[in-house]
Amino acid sequence: MILKLGVVAAVSAAGLSLFTFQSGSGVAPAGALSVGDAPGVAPTSPGQQAGAMIPGRRLDCTLGRIANFDASRVQEPSEYVFEGRHEFSLYLPAAPVRTTPPPDPVDAPEPVDPQTRIIADPDGLAKDSESSPFNRVVDVWPQRVEMTKPINSVSVTLIIIEVTDQSQSSASMFLTKANDAATFDLQNLYSGQCRVTLGASGKAAPS
């Protein structure tokens, strides 16, 4: 069931930023910036000079379906009830450290490295978009990565990754089907934890 969520509930559910999506009207939802943790440019540390590279990353994740999402209110993550265990693996190739803000959602997306891909999805969480490459990736690692993969001319598979420790060895993932920044498929909201392998080559065959 595709349901239009309130902006507050939608952004709270995924920490959605304005960089991945435009709304159906072509502008970002009102108030979205004031809710959740919209990412900016990843802070540059002394070891991250201009021209520095983020290494390739493989994420091996275990996701569960959020069975009790309530669009009428803001829920704490501890309230979620999960159903099932689904293995899901993703490869993010090496990329330059971002030193400028990501493009606005209404702008044309930046080119996506064709190595960016789903490595394993045995339960078909992203099956509807398996024939399409990722068309938009906003990579502000080690903070966050937002990605979309077209299902059709209206809907996409949306993936949001947030690094959860300073060693960058683990991350959380949110995956769903979406039409815009406030329209999610409530029967397909998945969340879970990932093991991150830095410096991965991504030689596994794409799914």
Side-chain angles (χ1 to χ4, degrees):
M1 176 179 63
I2 298 285
L3 181 67
K4 195 79 170 182
L5 304 183
V7 171
V8 171
V11 177
S12 174
L16 201 63
S17 83
L18 298 184
F19 300 136
T20 305
F21 267 124
Q22 61 184 29
S23 71
S25 62
V27 296
L33 272 178
S34 64
V35 184
D37 298 320
V41 178
T44 301
S45 69
Q48 290 182 330
Q49 304 299 326
M53 295 292 291
I54 304 167
R57 294 139 290 169
R58 175 176 173 138
L59 285 80
D60 293 296
C61 311
T62 301
L63 306 179
R65 188 179 74 85
I66 301 173
N68 66 330
F69 183 80
D70 185 348
S72 68
R73 64 186 182 89
V74 177
Q75 290 172 284
E76 294 295 329
S78 60
E79 296 182 66
Y80 293 142
V81 174
F82 294 94
E83 291 183 350
R85 289 175 58 88
H86 306 278
E87 303 304 313
F88 188 88
S89 297
L90 180 75
Y91 179 68
L92 299 171
V97 172
R98 180 176 286 280
T99 57
T100 59
D104 288 333
V106 295
D107 294 337
E110 298 171 324
V112 176
D113 189 321
Q115 296 182 82
T116 306
R117 64 188 185 271
I118 294 169
I119 296 173
D121 181 17
D123 295 330
L125 304 187
K127 183 178 181 179
D128 290 347
S129 59
E130 64 183 356
S131 63
S132 302
F134 284 97
N135 67 332
R136 187 180 289 267
V137 175
V138 177
D139 190 343
V140 288
W141 192 276
Q143 284 182 302
R144 180 185 183 95
V145 182
E146 300 180 13
M147 317 169 67
T148 61
K149 203 170 190 279
I151 296 172
N152 51 44
S153 61
V154 175
S155 303
V156 298
T157 295
L158 166 67
I159 297 174
I160 297 176
I161 300 160
E162 291 191 327
V163 178
T164 55
D165 69 1
Q166 290 187 342
S167 69
Q168 303 179 39
S169 62
S170 61
S172 63
M173 178 181 288
F174 175 83
L175 183 153
T176 190
K177 300 174 185 177
N179 289 357
D180 57 42
T183 310
F184 294 165
D185 182 348
L186 295 188
Q187 299 305 311
N188 288 279
L189 298 175
Y190 294 91
S191 183
Q193 297 299 311
C194 308
R195 183 180 71 255
V196 180
T197 303
L198 294 175
S201 65
K203 291 182 179 179
S207 63

